Amino acid sequence: MLDGKYLNFYNQISKKISVDNIFTDKLHTLAYGTDASFYRLIPKIVIKTDNSKEVQDIIELANELELSITFRAAGTSLSGQAISDSILIVTSRKFTDFKISEDKSYISLQPALTGAQVNNLLAPYSKKIGPDPASINAAMIGGIAANNASGMCCGVSQNSYKTLKSMKLIFSDGTKLDTGCTESKNAFKQSHGKFLKDLKEFSQSTKDNEELRAKIERKFKIKNTCGYSLNSLIDFDDEFEILEHLIIGSEGTLAFIEEITYYTVEDLKDKATALIYFKNMEEACTAVVKLKLARDEKTIIVDAAELMDRAALASIENDPAMPDFIKDFDENITALLIETRAKSAKQLDIQTAQIQEQLKEFDVVRDIYFTKDVAEYTLYWKIRKGLFPAVGAVRETGTTVIIEDVAYPIECLAQAALELQDLFKKHGYTEALIFGHALEGNFHFVFTQDFSDVKEIKRYDEFMNDVVNSVAVKYQGSLKAEHGTGRNMAAFIEVEWGNDAYVMMKKIKCLFDPKGLLNPGVIINDDQEAHLKNLKAMPATNEIVDKCIECGFCEPSCPSNDLSLTPRQRIVINREISRLERLGEDKEAKEYRDLYQYDGIETCATCSLCSSACPVKIDTGSLTKHLRAEQLSPSAKKVANFVANNFSMTLTSMKFGLGGANMVHKLLGTASMESISSTMRDFSKNKIAKWDATLPKPITIDTNFEQKVLSKKVVYFPSCINRTMGLSAISKEEKQLFDVTVELLQKAGYQIIFPEDLPNLCCGMPFSSKGFNEAGNAKSSQLEKALIKATNNGEYPVLCDMSPCTKTMVEKFKSNIKLYEPIEFALDFLSNDLEFTPINEPITIHTTCSSRKMGLEDKFKQLALMCSTDVIIPPDVKCCGFAGDRGFNYPELNESALRDLPKSIKNAKYAFSTSKTCEIGLSEHSGLDYNSIFYLINRCTKAKNI
């Protein structure tokens, strides 16, 4: 319950911002109070903001009431800078406007776009943004800029600080400033004249302090995100340049970034990558130093050199993409993942030869091999980017995985790395490993820690103090190279920087935030034990998800990420429920369970795309299915078994319902039907399924048609959905999918075989997705037996006309039947049997989540390009959120998942996918009539003249 100032704040802010976006309940405050760090604070109020006006309103009111606020984007931050015990402002996924300059030299971005989204926008112009953190697929622009996140290749020359053009900011008093607008700057001079004067004086006094100036120049030659960007005080004379560059890396403690404009950088497409194995750490580091010096002298071009010690290699050696010989390496082997990029293939060959010449003196364990194969080097980088979560997956359940992030002057890299390994041994962190951006002297080291034991916390503190003295004092390096100071290193800033620099940082904080309301405790924190407080527990909950380290990589792929909870948040809540139950606090655990029902269970699409984004394949969708199964009553299971055993009768009932709905629609018209169904749904408290004009008509298929006896045979299993649901009333197609498929197969010269007892057959997915595993397995087994017989024990291929059903069959069947969904069947068979002539009209395709998990995304694009000269693929639409029949009962999930679809396909004329239920939702929210890709294939093909 809120009281005092917080209740006053809530009452006032809820008049300006929808209460649907304001959370004070224990479920949402805990869920949003979790980021990728090993710290946790529970906010009293969480507010999802869709635009800068809402942020400004919050800041002004918080300033008036003197309540602290913290800004959060994706929450992939690792040092505790995105959490709060007061008011947490979350940039919603609608905060995503952008503008690319006419010459493509810069791009203006709102804070909720992910780095990957931005690079997708720039890709057609061979451009990208400079920062390239490993979390780029999940990390949002607001966080990337606020933390000065860098990454694999950008170094210190293409990070946010160096590629910044201008910013739109909101200050702690609510004042707005656009540093790219003269009028805005003049207004700011009038309102904040003393502020700018003080800032100018800070700059001048720093420039006059020769010792401090020299230290700043030295420390920013390497990566450094520890403390504020003091280099801005000596790099610029213009007060607005100083101001905006101070914001970079300020972690939300100085102002809110409403928009940032980046200079774009060239994205060279010709790349070559080599994974090179050295005898030991010292040899690898010495090689890095040689490559770095040669690059600085412009003798060679090396874009990245990622180091992985033996322990890091061990954490990924069982990945199918990694060579088997890694398992036989001794304990000292150290690898470098080296990449070079060029403007042409010829130049690329020259560069790879130059790098190999530089490394001739080293006795490498395996011959050096550079690959230009996109799939191969992309896989190497994917594995490298997933190292941190991968380590977390092998930790002991209940412990926390910690990643630290330091940088050394390049000349002492080898010595410092060996000393770091000695510190692991000294403090008993035998599982620790090292990897990182060695070309920049930047190492990440990862270890596991138990924060439930006082002795273990003491061990951690002693270890960290030794690390601080080694990195910051002995080697004069950076305690935080790219992950930001946060709460983790705030206590050690003065140790690294000295008194003069730390005093200047405090002055900067006071100037920008005189009341100390913006993200207190982050960067500036006088508590010398801040790094040991508010530590996050990681209790076991279910072995399906226990290995999760809460990194957040999964969140962009989740269809409910802007509606209810994300996979990470679902795991957080389940961990808390399990913790409470173990403590015997059943009442509080039940409160969480009740709150979790809608956000965690009902609005989970169980698409499992989270597992595709997760480096260790954690499948939160499977957790949801497990929880649904636990909730089922014996009577519900009996009903499910009855339905499964009388399946043809069930489908007949479905057809009757569809027929009735379409008859009423025909009588009343679309507008009246929508109004009446909406009223009924509201009256029933959403228990009545939603009706839409895209709802299919009922159909009955006829498998008894004349066929020739042909040598080419295929078993066609029309899914139960496509045996029941036909075209919608608004569809312009004339033939049902079944008829189109038959026509297509016969044109290709196939004799079609149907399995016996077809009306009763089902893959089992409609049951298992709801937790009815017994009924689901029974239907799957029944279908498998029918298909074994129909295929003559696997002699003929099986075609199913829906990808989700095919995937279920692949997962459930134990036999070696050759199963195909539409994409692979078309590529493997129809492409040989038919002559394709692509249409000259723009189309769009939607790859279902099942197809994605079967690795068919690129194949679908390949197939689409065989059918049309203009193929549009929405970059930000993954799972459609219809989730079988969930789109009827929870249409808001479908709507939220497809919120970006219309603007992405506005030039498309036709639309195609491979799942009927997905096509219903896609049609409703796109304005296009989505149909099976078989419709297009049938249109653009003819039989080959043999």
Side-chain angles (χ1 to χ4, degrees):
M1 293 291 292
L2 298 176
D3 54 22
K5 288 183 179 180
Y6 288 102
L7 181 58
N8 187 8
F9 175 89
Y10 178 88
N11 290 335
Q12 292 193 54
I13 204 64
S14 58
K15 296 174 183 176
K16 297 183 177 182
I17 297 175
S18 170
V19 292
D20 291 339
N21 286 337
I22 305 174
F23 306 97
T24 60
D25 63 280
K26 59 175 57 180
L27 181 136
H28 288 93
T29 52
L30 173 61
Y32 285 108
T34 301
D35 65 3
S37 75
F38 52 95
Y39 298 98
R40 175 176 285 137
L41 292 171
I42 309 299
K44 293 180 176 61
I45 302 175
V46 175
I47 310 176
K48 286 174 67 176
T49 55
D50 295 337
N51 54 65
S52 61
K53 178 63 170 66
E54 292 181 345
V55 176
Q56 186 180 30
D57 287 341
I58 296 168
I59 291 175
E60 287 177 343
L61 181 57
N63 182 61
E64 178 187 331
L65 299 177
E66 297 190 355
L67 294 172
S68 64
I69 52 179
T70 294
F71 310 118
R72 175 195 174 112
T76 57
S77 45
L78 294 161
S79 301
Q81 57 266 67
I83 58 176
S84 169
D85 59 0
S86 182
I87 299 167
L88 185 67
I89 302 175
V90 179
T91 52
S92 85
R93 294 177 186 270
K94 297 181 181 71
F95 212 155
T96 54
D97 284 350
F98 67 91
K99 184 178 181 181
I100 303 174
S101 67
E102 193 171 333
D103 64 357
K104 315 303 184 272
S105 64
Y106 59 88
I107 183 169
S108 301
L109 305 162
Q110 287 193 336
L113 285 155
T114 66
Q117 285 178 304
V118 176
N119 284 341
N120 285 336
L121 293 170
L122 293 169
Y125 316 110
S126 295
K127 296 283 190 177
K128 63 177 183 175
I129 56 171
D132 60 342
S135 58
I136 194 165
N137 289 338
M140 293 178 179
I141 288 299
I144 289 173
N147 291 286
N148 198 18
S150 46
M152 315 290 178
C153 301
C154 77
V156 294
S157 61
Q158 292 185 344
N159 59 16
S160 292
Y161 183 92
K162 289 294 179 66
T163 57
L164 171 65
K165 184 179 187 295
S166 64
M167 278 184 175
K168 291 181 181 178
L169 302 167
I170 306 176
F171 290 85
S172 63
D173 60 358
T175 301
K176 284 193 169 190
L177 168 65
D178 180 356
T179 65
C181 172
T182 301
E183 184 179 336
S184 178
K185 289 195 289 187
N186 286 338
F188 194 80
K189 286 178 182 178
Q190 291 293 318
S191 63
H192 288 68
K194 185 177 185 306
F195 175 100
L196 293 172
K197 180 183 177 185
D198 289 347
L199 194 59
K200 192 88 168 175
E201 288 178 358
F202 291 171
S203 172
Q204 192 58 53
S205 67
T206 304
K207 291 170 183 173
D208 293 342
N209 185 332
E210 293 184 9
E211 183 179 348
L212 179 56
R213 178 173 185 151
K215 178 179 282 189
I216 293 170
E217 289 175 343
R218 184 182 73 251
K219 289 184 72 61
F220 282 103
K221 284 181 180 177
I222 60 175
K223 287 185 178 182
N224 194 320
T225 60
C226 195
Y228 290 120
S229 300
L230 294 183
N231 46 340
S232 61
L233 300 178
I234 64 172
D235 287 347
F236 305 101
D237 295 320
D238 178 80
E239 54 265 55
F240 289 102
E241 290 269 26
I242 297 168
L243 187 159
E244 65 186 6
H245 283 85
L246 272 173
I247 298 298
I248 298 294
S250 63
E251 303 173 32
T253 65
L254 302 182
F256 175 78
I257 301 172
E258 171 190 341
E259 179 184 280
I260 181 169
T261 300
Y262 279 115
Y263 287 110
T264 59
V265 301
E266 195 170 7
D267 185 16
L268 300 174
K269 300 300 181 186
D270 285 292
K271 304 173 186 178
T273 302
L275 194 53
I276 305 173
Y277 307 97
F278 295 83
K279 290 188 295 185
N280 53 47
M281 174 70 78
E282 188 172 9
E283 283 273 288
C285 288
T286 303
V288 169
V289 173
K290 185 171 184 182
L291 293 173
K292 171 74 170 175
L293 294 176
R295 188 181 77 164
D296 290 348
E297 293 167 0
K298 305 195 185 312
T299 306
I300 64 168
I301 297 174
V302 182
D303 289 280
E306 294 292 304
L307 181 141
M308 291 175 274
D309 72 358
R310 182 64 186 95
L313 291 173
S315 72
I316 56 173
E317 64 185 18
N318 291 316
D319 191 295
M322 299 305 292
D324 287 337
F325 58 72
I326 293 180
K327 297 174 185 177
D328 299 324
F329 283 161
D330 66 41
E331 64 180 9
N332 297 311
I333 299 296
T334 303
L336 287 180
L337 181 59
I338 293 176
E339 181 165 286
T340 182
R341 303 174 180 179
K343 293 185 177 181
S344 68
K346 182 179 179 181
Q347 179 60 34
L348 188 63
D349 289 337
I350 293 172
Q351 290 171 198
T352 56
Q354 289 174 333
I355 294 171
Q356 291 182 76
E357 181 65 27
Q358 288 286 325
L359 297 176
K360 275 179 66 175
E361 69 180 77
F362 297 95
D363 185 17
V364 296
V365 177
R366 309 276 303 188
D367 290 340
I368 297 175
Y369 157 68
F370 274 92
T371 179
K372 299 178 187 176
D373 183 80
V374 176
E376 190 172 7
Y377 67 62
T378 300
L379 201 53
Y380 282 157
W381 281 107
K382 183 178 180 181
I383 290 169
R384 159 59 191 90
K385 291 178 179 181
L387 263 177
F388 169 45
V391 173
V394 297
R395 76 191 191 283
E396 184 179 339
T397 300
T399 62
T400 299
V401 61
I402 295 177
I403 181 169
E404 291 297 350
D405 165 49
V406 299
Y408 302 98
I410 195 70
E411 59 272 12
C412 62
L413 189 63
Q415 183 183 352
L418 293 172
E419 184 169 314
L420 185 56
Q421 288 183 323
D422 287 340
L423 288 178
F424 296 156
K425 295 174 185 175
K426 174 184 175 182
H427 293 278
Y429 289 104
T430 55
E431 80 292 352
L433 57 85
I434 296 174
F435 63 91
H437 322 309
L439 205 61
E440 303 300 334
N442 175 197
F443 283 157
H444 304 310
F445 57 95
V446 180
F447 56 99
T448 57
Q449 176 67 43
D450 184 356
F451 284 129
S452 65
D453 188 324
V454 175
K455 290 181 180 178
E456 284 294 294
I457 295 175
K458 185 174 185 294
R459 176 171 72 123
Y460 168 72
D461 186 32
E462 291 171 348
F463 171 64
M464 286 307 301
N465 275 282
D466 277 355
V467 168
V468 168
N469 287 322
S470 175
V471 175
V473 180
K474 182 175 181 179
Y475 294 108
Q476 294 293 295
S478 309
L479 289 172
K480 282 294 178 183
E482 57 181 11
H483 292 171
T485 309
R487 301 168 192 282
N488 193 16
M489 285 297 172
F492 303 108
I493 291 179
E494 190 170 3
V495 176
E496 175 176 331
W497 277 98
N499 181 257
D500 285 356
Y502 190 53
V503 168
M504 179 55 70
M505 290 183 192
K506 284 189 166 184
K507 287 182 178 179
I508 290 167
K509 171 64 174 174
C510 187
L511 178 65
F512 279 81
D513 182 21
K515 294 182 181 180
L517 300 178
L518 301 185
N519 213 1
V522 169
I523 298 184
I524 301 300
N525 193 326
D526 291 331
D527 184 351
Q528 295 304 299
E529 294 189 341
H531 61 298
L532 303 176
K533 295 179 178 178
N534 303 304
L535 301 171
K536 179 169 67 178
M538 300 284 273
T541 182
N542 188 300
E543 62 181 10
I544 297 172
V545 297
D546 279 341
K547 297 304 181 184
C548 173
I549 62 167
E550 301 175 7
C551 67
F553 282 19
C554 57
E555 293 188 331
S557 63
C558 178
S560 64
N561 62 19
D562 198 49
L563 172 68
S564 51
L565 296 180
T566 67
R568 168 169 62 174
Q569 291 171 336
R570 288 184 170 97
I571 294 170
V572 167
I573 300 302
N574 276 280
R575 282 176 166 162
E576 179 63 6
I577 291 171
S578 296
R579 185 189 72 84
L580 291 168
E581 288 177 341
R582 276 193 287 273
L583 292 174
E585 298 180 20
D586 294 338
K587 183 179 178 181
E588 190 170 356
K590 184 180 183 303
E591 288 179 33
Y592 274 107
R593 284 192 182 279
D594 291 344
L595 290 167
Y596 186 75
Q597 187 64 31
Y598 174 83
D599 289 82
I601 294 179
E602 305 299 0
T603 54
C604 176
T606 65
C607 63
S608 297
L609 284 186
C610 48
S611 65
S612 302
C614 175
V616 292
K617 311 304 179 189
I618 292 169
D619 185 353
T620 314
S622 291
L623 174 66
T624 300
K625 291 176 184 177
H626 172 81
L627 296 174
R628 286 175 183 169
E630 283 188 336
Q631 293 181 349
L632 296 175
S633 65
S635 60
K637 292 178 183 179
K638 285 182 180 179
V639 170
N641 289 331
F642 175 82
V643 170
N645 293 329
N646 298 272
F647 198 65
S648 62
M649 183 175 69
T650 302
L651 296 188
T652 301
S653 299
M654 284 179 59
K655 292 176 188 179
F656 180 78
L658 288 171
N662 277 280
M663 183 181 297
V664 175
H665 174 213
K666 190 174 182 179
L667 290 171
L668 298 180
T670 299
S672 296
M673 185 68 174
E674 285 180 341
S675 176
I676 291 171
S677 65
S678 177
T679 301
M680 291 176 64
R681 181 168 165 78
D682 289 342
F683 182 76
S684 70
K685 296 184 179 179
N686 296 336
K687 290 181 180 180
I688 294 177
K690 180 188 176 186
W691 179 90
D692 184 80
T694 57
L695 189 72
K697 294 179 180 178
I699 61 164
T700 299
I701 65 170
D702 181 11
T703 59
N704 296 313
F705 50 86
E706 289 188 16
Q707 293 193 74
K708 295 179 181 179
V709 177
L710 300 170
S711 59
K712 289 193 301 184
K713 294 178 172 60
V714 61
V715 174
Y716 174 26
F717 171 59
S719 67
C720 57
I721 292 293
N722 286 323
R723 301 197 306 267
T724 308
M725 296 182 176
L727 299 169
S728 71
I730 61 174
S731 177
K732 295 179 181 178
E733 294 290 346
E734 297 178 356
K735 298 176 182 178
Q736 302 295 346
L737 174 59
F738 175 81
D739 300 318
V740 169
T741 305
V742 168
E743 185 176 316
L744 185 59
L745 292 173
Q746 290 185 328
K747 180 168 49 174
Y750 284 92
Q751 179 183 342
I752 304 170
I753 301 169
F754 295 99
E756 294 178 2
D757 196 24
L758 182 59
N760 279 308
L761 296 182
C762 170
C763 69
M765 181 178 60
F767 299 94
S768 58
S769 66
K770 296 177 178 62
F772 295 108
N773 296 323
E774 181 183 345
N777 291 335
K779 296 308 292 181
S780 179
S781 178
Q782 180 188 18
L783 175 60
E784 183 176 15
K785 290 175 183 176
L787 291 177
I788 289 173
K789 184 176 181 180
T791 60
N792 196 24
N793 290 314
E795 182 180 351
Y796 317 126
V798 175
L799 167 65
C800 177
D801 52 21
M802 273 185 59
S803 296
C805 300
T806 312
K807 185 173 187 301
T808 299
M809 292 153 63
V810 169
E811 291 174 344
K812 297 282 188 180
F813 287 6
K814 298 178 176 63
S815 58
N816 294 319
I817 302 173
K818 297 182 286 290
L819 300 165
Y820 292 89
E821 52 70 70
I823 300 167
E824 279 199 305
F825 187 84
L827 289 174
D828 290 0
F829 295 96
L830 299 182
S831 63
N832 299 316
D833 301 323
L834 299 170
E835 183 179 324
F836 282 70
T837 303
I839 63 173
N840 292 314
E841 294 174 292
I843 70 166
T844 184
I845 59 173
H846 173 76
T847 306
T848 68
C849 44
S850 298
S851 300
R852 291 176 189 275
K853 287 180 288 185
M854 289 190 284
L856 300 179
E857 187 173 3
D858 290 338
K859 288 187 176 183
F860 198 7
K861 180 179 179 181
Q862 176 189 346
L863 177 61
L865 288 169
M866 291 168 58
C867 300
S868 171
T869 57
D870 188 357
V871 178
I872 300 167
I873 302 176
D876 299 324
V877 179
K878 308 299 181 188
C879 173
C880 70
F882 206 86
D885 61 356
R886 204 148 290 264
F888 294 122
N889 297 305
Y890 299 95
E892 64 271 27
L893 175 60
N894 182 219
E895 181 181 4
S896 182
L898 297 180
R899 62 189 179 274
D900 295 321
L901 180 62
K903 64 184 178 184
S904 301
I905 60 169
K906 57 185 178 183
N907 296 321
K909 187 173 181 180
Y910 303 104
F912 303 96
S913 189
T914 57
S915 170
K916 182 66 179 179
T917 50
C918 296
E919 290 154 17
I920 295 170
L922 290 161
S923 298
E924 179 183 355
H925 296 291
S926 67
L928 294 174
D929 181 22
Y930 274 79
N931 290 289
S932 168
I933 189 64
F934 274 177
Y935 281 87
L936 180 59
I937 296 173
N938 196 37
R939 174 182 170 185
C940 72
T941 59
K942 64 180 182 179
K944 283 186 175 180
N945 295 319
I946 301 174

